[in-house]
Amino acid sequence: MWQSLPEFGTGVLYAILVAAAYTFAVSLGAGRGQPRLLQSARYGAYATCALTLFAVILLAYAFITHDFRIRYVSRYSDRAMPTSYLFTALWGGQDGSILWWLFLLSLYTTGCVAWLKGRYRQLQPYVIATLMVIVGFFAVLMLFAANPFEASVAGARPDGEGLNPQLQTYWMIIHPPSLYTGFVGCSVPFAFCVAALATGRLDNEWIVAVRKWMLFAFMFLSFGNCLGMIWAYEELGWGGYWAWDPVENAACLPWFGAGAFVHSTMIQERRNMMKVWNVLLICITFFLTIFGTFLTRAGIIVSVHSFAQSDIGKYFIWFMALIVAASAGLIIWRAPLLRSKAQIEAVASREAMFLANNWALLGGATFILVATMFPKIAELWGEKAVVGPPFFNLWMGPIGLSIFLLMGLAPLFGWRKTSDDALKKAFRIPIAALVVTYVLHTLIGKHLGYPAIVAKDAVYSGVFGVIIQKMSSVLPGIAIALVAFNLTVIVQEFARGIRARRTGAREGPRRSRRDGAGQHRRPAAHRCRVCPRVARHR
C-alpha cells in the first residue's frame, strides 16, 4: 500500500465521494417517509467523516516522511523544515487547504450528528443530506481539479521546494485554521435552514437549533480575521492592520452576514417576525463563505497572498449557482409559511434598531464586495480601474461607525414600543459618557499622540470633496466617543439585569452577576402548585 501512496490517497478521496453520495441518498429516503433509514444515514455520515480523517492522516504522513512522489508534498516542503511547519504545510497550498476545509467540515458534521441524537428527527435527514452535498462538492473538487495526492510527473525528487519563508511563522499555525473554522462553521446553520425549508417546519425550532452553531462560527470568523490582519501588518508592513487587500476583504464578507443573523434571530424568537429575513441571511452568509473561497483560489483577483490562477474556479461557479438556485427555489416554495403575522409597531423599538443594524451590516458587506470586484467588472468594458485603500477608508469609516452606533442604541430600546420617559432614562448616562469622552479626547488626545481631529488628504475635488475631507478628519474623535457610549450601555444593561433578577427572582448578588444582563426579561422561578419542585413555566 505504502509503495503507491499517491494512488492510495486518491482512492480514499473516491471513497469519500462514494460514502457521501450513499449517505445523501439514504438521508433523502429517511426524510421521505422511511424513518428506519435515519440510523443508516447517521452511520454513513460518521463513515464519510472517518474517511476524511484518514485522508488527512495520509497526507500528514507523506509530509513527515518526505514522500516527494506526491507533487503537493514536493512543492510545499523540504527535508530541512521543522515538524511543526510540515504540519502547517497541510494547508499551505491550494490542494491541501481544500482537504483541510473538508476535514474541518467532517468535524462539524460529526459533532452535529452526535449532538442531534434524538433531537429534531424531522429535520435530521435533510440536515445530513445538505452537509453531504457540501462534502461531495469538495471531494469532486479534489478529485478533478486540486488533488493533494497527485503524483509528480517527473517522479520523486531528492528534495522539495520548501514552504514560502513568509508562511514559516506561528501565525500560519493559528490563523488559517481559525478562519477556516469560522467559514466552515456556517455550513451547519445553512443545513438546518435547508432542512426547515424542505420540511416546512419554519417556526422557531430551527432558529433555536442553530443559534449556538452560528455564534461559534461567528466567534472564529472574528478571531481569524483579527489574527490575519495582525499577521499581515507584521509580515507585509502595509502601514496599518487592514489594507483592504482583496483576500482580506473576501475573508470578512461572511462576518457581516453572520453578525446580522445572530442579531435578527432574537427578533424571531421574541416576536415571531422576520422569518424570510433570517432565512435569507443564512443563505447569504453561506454563499459568501463559498464566494470568498472562490475569490482567493480561482486567481481572478490580484493579491499578495491569493492562490495562483487555476481551473478550479468553474467548479465553484457551478456550486454557487446550485446554492442560489436551491435556496431561491425553497424560499419561493415556502413563501406562504414565511409570512410573519406580527409587524414592527414603532421606530422607537428594539426590533427597528436590530433591523437597521442588519441593513447597515449588509450595506457594508455590499460596498466591500462591489469595490473589491470593481476592477474585474471594469475589465468587461475594456477599462482598467484600481480601487485602493483611500477609497475604502473614505466610505467605510462612516458605514463602520454607523454600525458601531446601532450596536449601542439597540439595547436602550424596549420591545414593541418605547415610551419617551423610558428613552430619556436609558440614554441619560450613555450620552453623558459620550460627551465627556469626546471633550477629554479633544483636549488631551493630541498631547498623548492620539488627536481627535486628524487631517485627511482630499480624495475628491470641489465643494463635495471639501465636505468629505472635513467629515473624515473628525472620525477618530467620534470613534472613541462611541466606544465610551457602547461600553456604558453594556455596563448599564448588566446592572439593570442584575437589579431585576435580585428584585424579581430574589437571587443573591453573586448569582445575579453570573446570570448576566438581559435575563430579567425571563419569568422568575416560582414554586409549582402541582408539584413541590421549583419550576420555570413559560
Side-chain angles (χ1 to χ4, degrees):
M1 175 182 71
W2 305 112
Q3 300 301 320
S4 57
L5 185 57
E7 292 80 4
F8 183 75
T10 303
V12 174
L13 297 181
Y14 276 108
I16 293 172
L17 180 60
V18 171
Y22 164 80
T23 306
F24 172 76
V26 175
S27 299
L28 287 185
R32 297 178 65 83
Q34 302 182 55
R36 290 179 296 178
L37 294 177
L38 180 58
Q39 193 62 30
S40 296
R42 292 172 60 86
Y43 288 147
Y46 286 138
T48 305
C49 297
L51 287 169
T52 305
L53 173 62
F54 186 45
V56 172
I57 293 174
L58 281 179
L59 188 59
Y61 175 82
F63 271 107
I64 294 174
T65 58
H66 306 295
D67 194 337
F68 297 126
R69 294 173 298 174
I70 299 177
R71 183 178 61 88
Y72 182 75
V73 174
S74 65
R75 288 188 61 186
Y76 294 97
S77 69
D78 57 42
R79 298 184 183 277
M81 282 175 56
T83 304
S84 59
Y85 292 143
L86 288 175
F87 279 110
T88 59
L90 278 169
W91 53 81
Q94 180 163 264
D95 303 349
S97 66
I98 293 175
L99 178 59
W100 185 255
W101 181 294
L102 183 58
F103 169 65
L104 292 176
L105 179 59
S106 70
L107 293 182
Y108 272 109
T109 302
T110 301
C112 180
V113 174
W115 173 75
L116 282 170
K117 294 183 181 179
R119 303 184 184 97
Y120 310 107
R121 296 190 68 86
Q122 290 79 14
L123 300 178
Q124 269 198 60
Y126 295 99
V127 171
I128 297 174
T130 304
L131 290 173
M132 289 302 106
V133 170
I134 304 172
V135 169
F137 163 70
F138 282 100
V140 168
L141 198 61
M142 288 187 292
L143 284 170
F144 300 103
N147 187 352
F149 295 101
E150 182 181 354
S152 178
V153 177
R157 55 196 334 182
D159 200 359
E161 299 176 19
L163 190 65
N164 189 323
Q166 290 184 327
L167 301 181
Q168 297 188 37
T169 171
Y170 62 91
W171 293 110
M172 184 63 180
I173 301 174
I174 57 177
H175 164 58
S178 299
L179 191 60
Y180 289 172
T181 300
F183 265 60
V184 180
C186 298
S187 302
V188 175
F190 176 73
F192 271 95
C193 178
V194 171
L197 289 168
T199 59
R201 301 177 66 89
L202 291 165
D203 53 7
N204 295 345
E205 178 186 34
W206 76 276
I207 289 289
V208 174
V210 305
R211 184 200 298 118
K212 293 182 179 179
W213 293 96
M214 184 55 87
L215 283 172
F216 185 80
F218 182 66
M219 177 183 69
F220 272 94
L221 279 172
S222 305
F223 190 51
N225 274 291
C226 290
L227 291 175
M229 70 183 189
I230 296 172
W231 181 14
Y233 174 70
E234 292 186 359
E235 189 71 34
L236 301 174
W238 279 337
Y241 286 105
W242 198 272
W244 301 105
D245 181 77
V247 172
E248 285 187 312
N249 296 345
C252 78
L253 288 175
W255 182 90
F256 287 93
F261 177 77
V262 298
H263 287 83
S264 64
T265 52
M266 290 184 279
I267 302 177
Q268 181 169 341
E269 290 185 54
R270 181 79 181 193
R271 298 287 315 282
N272 201 25
M273 296 169 53
M274 299 177 65
K275 293 182 179 180
V276 177
W277 184 247
N278 286 325
V279 167
L280 283 173
L281 285 177
I282 282 284
C283 296
I284 290 172
T285 302
F286 178 72
F287 176 84
L288 288 176
T289 62
I290 302 300
F291 183 78
T293 309
F294 160 72
L295 283 183
T296 57
R297 282 162 174 75
I300 65 172
I301 56 176
V302 179
S303 170
V304 295
H305 56 311
S306 63
F307 294 94
Q309 189 170 3
S310 66
D311 295 333
I312 202 172
K314 61 183 179 182
Y315 293 90
F316 275 99
I317 291 175
W318 281 108
F319 188 55
M320 289 187 292
L322 174 63
I323 294 171
V324 172
S327 301
L330 286 171
I331 292 172
I332 294 172
W333 178 37
R334 296 299 187 183
L337 297 177
L338 290 171
R339 294 195 182 98
S340 301
K341 296 181 180 179
Q343 295 181 351
I344 295 178
E345 300 177 10
V347 176
S349 63
R350 188 167 298 189
E351 300 96 308
M353 292 298 104
F354 276 140
L355 183 59
N357 198 331
N358 284 355
W359 278 111
L361 285 166
L362 288 188
T366 302
F367 170 80
I368 294 173
L369 175 61
V370 173
T372 302
M373 295 299 299
F374 188 77
K376 282 295 176 182
I377 297 174
E379 288 182 4
L380 299 177
W381 285 273
E383 299 181 2
K384 290 186 177 181
V386 178
V387 180
F391 179 80
F392 282 100
N393 291 332
L394 179 65
W395 294 105
M396 273 306 295
I399 294 174
L401 289 181
S402 299
I403 297 171
F404 200 33
L405 173 61
L406 290 168
M407 288 171 55
L409 288 178
L412 299 177
F413 289 82
W415 295 104
R416 295 180 181 272
K417 186 178 181 180
T418 312
S419 65
D420 294 339
D421 292 338
L423 282 178
K424 291 177 182 177
K425 184 178 179 180
F427 272 86
R428 186 169 57 243
I429 299 177
I431 288 294
L434 181 145
V435 173
V436 170
T437 302
Y438 186 80
V439 171
L440 290 176
H441 191 198
T442 303
L443 293 176
I444 66 175
K446 58 184 177 181
H447 301 292
L448 301 176
Y450 299 97
I453 300 176
V454 179
K456 299 288 185 179
D457 295 331
V459 178
Y460 300 101
S461 59
V463 178
F464 176 74
V466 173
I467 295 174
I468 295 297
Q469 182 182 9
K470 296 297 183 182
M471 290 177 58
S472 300
S473 64
V474 300
L475 292 183
I478 296 175
I480 296 299
L482 286 179
V483 170
F485 178 84
N486 285 4
L487 289 176
T488 306
V489 170
I490 293 172
V491 173
Q492 178 176 273
E493 186 73 3
F494 268 94
R496 289 171 56 191
I498 293 170
R499 184 168 58 251
R501 291 193 67 89
R502 292 185 63 183
T503 303
R506 297 181 180 178
E507 296 176 346
R510 183 176 180 182
R511 183 174 180 181
S512 298
R513 288 193 298 269
R514 183 191 64 191
D515 290 340
Q519 301 299 319
H520 60 282
R521 303 183 187 92
R522 297 181 181 177
H526 60 277
R527 190 169 299 278
C528 181
R529 296 180 180 178
V530 179
C531 61
R533 296 179 299 173
V534 173
R536 189 182 301 276
H537 298 279
R538 292 179 179 268

